[in-house]
Amino acid sequence: MKRLTLTRFMIEEQRRSGVLRPELRLLIETVARACKTISHSIGKGALGEVLGSQGTDNVQGEVQKKLDVIANELLLEANEWGGHLAAMASEEMETLHRIPNRYPKGEYLLLFDPIDGSSNIDVGLSVGTIFSVLRAPVSASGREVTEQDFMQPGREQVAAGYAIYGPQTLLVLSLGTGVYEFTLDREVGAWLMTDGPLQIPAGNCEFAINSARHKQWSPAITRYIDERLAGEEGPCGTDYNMRWTASMVADVHRILKRGGIFLYPADHRSPGKARLRLMYEANPMAFLVEQAGGAANDGYGRILDVKPVGLHQRVGVILGDKTEVETVAAYGREMAEPVKA
Ligand code: F6P
Ligand code: MN
């Protein structure tokens, strides 16, 4: 079977839409190439001495794994010199990374989580790389890019995607015109299209949540989960299934392919305290999920409408099957505590 390569897919998309710029194509190719190298490193595991901790903490106070640092460096190096970027930001770096003056600058901003789900690395389970692409504001041309230039709501993303390093290495990508999956053909080193446009299958009674965090849940989330746990005898009238891989890339990938809902709600007891990062995790995944016919909500409203205030800001995430996400949102509205004056 003759399959479309990532390169050809983007060239055809460029011809068809007339809006996909060659610089954006170069950017995606560059990220995809870096992901290939990351996949190679991960694949070596203990043999490549890439497992274990780096012995440092990142900006969020989390212990960095060796692979977090390796993948971050690979993405920075690959994207610095092509002339397509104005700046980069990463979950693993405190502030933005400007393109060095010796290289030409482009109009795009690239954000990434180099290794998502990194607690899985040392036990040989699926991890991924998540990325998001914004345009630098026009006002940024001719001056140094600042963090403020990144503070754009997720609906402004021009592309988003992830690589998943699992039984196969996959790249899942949206340029704003649907979601497509490519599989890395290791023998020839090419990304070949294996699925798409993806549409989240409706009606799969499956939820993903870390139930050990139930003390943090709002009454609305508790009600939603309790009703599903009640199964056939409960208000849903059907038994639900639960899955949790502790790797957002893997959980979201399952939902894109098989349906269901993913929840990592904010901590109800202390507003603003949440697990997942808006700019590197929630926004790109929300973009993909909406492009595949699903919905993504932070417990209050659409994730893609959240106006960021900081590069490392965290947010509640409820995404997947549109009907299920809307049910959670409706419970949230119904059960909202009155706002104190
Ligand atoms: O990057 C954060 C992350 O690793 C996600 O990939 C994943 O969904 C989540 O954290 C797992 O959280 P927990 O440790 O609570 O299971
Ligand atoms: Mn992550």
Side-chain angles (χ1 to χ4, degrees), residues 91 113 115-118 130 248 276-277 280-281:
E91 190 185 298
D113 176 357
I115 299 283
D116 174 65
S118 50
I130 312 175
M248 189 192 196
L276 299 173
R277 265 96 358 170
Y280 318 106
E281 296 172 319

Side-chain angles (χ1 to χ4, degrees), residues 7 20 46 93 103 121 127 129 137 143 162 179 184 186 195 217 222 232 245 248 259 277 279 288 294 312 327:
T7 305
L20 173 61
M93 299 186 302
Y103 300 124
I121 289 176
V127 292
T129 297
R143 64 157 169 82
Y162 58 80
V179 182
L184 179 61
R186 293 175 197 278
D195 205 358
W217 298 349
T222 306
E232 225 177 318
T245 57
M248 189 192 196
R277 265 96 358 170
M279 308 291 285
L288 292 165
H312 300 293
T327 303

